[in-house]
Amino acid sequence: MGGDRVRVGTVEIVVIQDAAMLAPCSALFPSVAKEQWEPHREDLQGDAVPLSITSFLVRAGGKTMLVDTGIGNKSRPFFPNGRLPDALAEAGVRPEDVDVVLATHIHVDHVGWHTTPTDDGFVPTFPKARHVFTKAEWDYFTDPASAIPGGNQYVIDSVLPLRDRVEIDLVDFASEHRLTDEITLLATPGHTPAHTSVAIASGGEAAMIWGDVCHHPAQVTELWSPLFDMNPTLAVATREKVLERLERERTLVLAGHFAFPGMGRVVTVEGKRYWRAGLSG
């Protein structure tokens, strides 16, 4: 069976890896000096940040939801091609089994498998699923006038082809939006204009799929912003707010870019916050 699994009350979450890669520290965090990485060496590979590109299959209330779809199979510069459909098949899931596809945000490594290249162009990979985006995120990234870092080719081939082919749900909210009885969308902006995290609560247990609130465990301690935070000041404020909540509530975190499977918690040791990998509370 593919994927690592965890239960949160009655909700099952399957952690699916689409791809993995290494990014030079100096490229991903250009404002962070090399010596600042010294306390975090155990979470590096040489001078590179190991990154997982992870999706999350969430089974709740009789529905199957896929949170983020990875990088896809479109030969992107600087990225390896992903294998999400194969990884889902290993977990016993067919594309037509997915009821909802939710994007935490519209970046290249989170919407890649929203579509698949075919002889007839780019078609939805999950043809029966309702595709959920925050309205502000959709409006920004599908606006041709938006200045999208790295260009908007991935929007053209992975997002726009969904129109008129699948049901698209654009949710508009300021702070929180209850998607189902167990799943709530949280506004966590800064990385992108309307970046969203996913809070899961069931049976007195809680977890959060935080999207790109953090890319590396060092950020739990240092609050650094990576190159791709579109509004670094807001991203740092959001990061602090989210980390405080996660620590206070002892919530299980599912971190999509941390070393696979990216499950752990935020803890405080001698007055500093740290990432503690694993399921223990």
Side-chain angles (χ1 to χ4, degrees):
M1 298 289 282
D4 282 45
R5 297 166 188 261
V6 64
R7 294 197 74 86
V8 178
T10 62
V11 177
E12 181 186 47
I13 305 170
V14 187
V15 187
I16 306 285
Q17 187 174 58
D18 182 44
M21 59 183 293
L22 294 173
C25 295
S26 58
L28 188 58
F29 293 92
S31 64
V32 179
K34 184 175 182 179
E35 56 269 20
Q36 291 178 270
W37 283 101
E38 288 305 319
H40 309 286
R41 278 285 165 194
E42 65 181 22
D43 292 316
L44 298 178
Q45 290 187 27
D47 289 325
V49 173
L51 293 173
S52 180
I53 300 176
T54 303
S55 300
F56 301 93
L57 195 75
V58 181
R59 293 189 173 103
K63 298 291 186 180
T64 298
M65 173 185 293
L66 184 63
V67 179
D68 291 334
T69 66
I71 190 63
N73 185 25
K74 293 158 181 163
S75 300
R76 306 290 192 199
F78 310 113
F79 287 96
N81 281 330
R83 60 179 306 272
L84 180 62
D86 289 340
L88 287 172
E90 292 163 6
V93 178
R94 303 169 301 169
E96 56 266 34
D97 296 331
V98 177
D99 300 299
V100 178
V101 174
L102 169 69
T104 59
H105 60 296
I106 302 179
H107 267 174
V108 62
D109 53 332
H110 291 260
V111 298
W113 282 108
H114 274 52
T115 67
T116 298
T118 71
D119 291 340
D120 296 321
F122 296 97
V123 301
T125 306
F126 306 96
K128 296 184 178 181
R130 177 167 60 103
H131 287 62
V132 178
F133 302 88
T134 56
K135 184 177 185 301
E137 191 84 354
W138 175 277
D139 288 349
Y140 178 85
F141 281 98
T142 61
D143 182 352
S146 293
I148 300 170
N152 66 347
Q153 178 57 43
Y154 74 91
V155 177
I156 293 171
D157 63 39
S158 295
V159 177
L160 298 185
L162 299 174
R163 295 190 295 194
D164 302 323
R165 296 191 181 188
V166 294
E167 182 182 356
I168 297 174
D169 188 0
L170 302 181
V171 293
D172 192 5
F173 63 99
S175 178
E176 298 186 4
H177 174 79
R178 192 172 184 181
L179 199 62
T180 72
D181 288 343
E182 301 94 353
I183 299 170
T184 300
L185 306 184
L186 306 175
T188 50
H191 181 64
T192 61
H195 182 280
T196 302
S197 299
V198 183
I200 300 163
S202 174
E205 299 178 335
M208 183 187 292
I209 300 170
W210 69 9
D212 282 7
V213 169
C214 293
H215 287 71
H216 186 272
Q219 291 175 275
V220 175
T221 307
E222 311 292 354
L223 300 182
W224 298 330
S225 268
L227 175 67
F228 300 110
D229 278 356
M230 296 176 67
N231 184 334
T233 300
L234 180 57
V236 168
T238 292
R239 191 169 299 122
E240 171 65 29
K241 181 179 178 180
V242 171
L243 292 170
E244 189 279 330
R245 171 177 174 165
L246 292 170
E247 179 191 8
R248 171 170 39 87
E249 297 179 358
R250 302 179 68 182
T251 300
L252 176 67
V253 181
L254 297 122
H257 285 310
F258 286 19
F260 190 83
M263 292 187 283
R265 299 182 193 268
V266 176
V267 300
T268 292
V269 179
E270 297 181 352
K272 282 191 175 184
R273 288 196 187 105
Y274 294 94
W275 171 256
R276 177 177 291 166
L279 297 177
S280 60

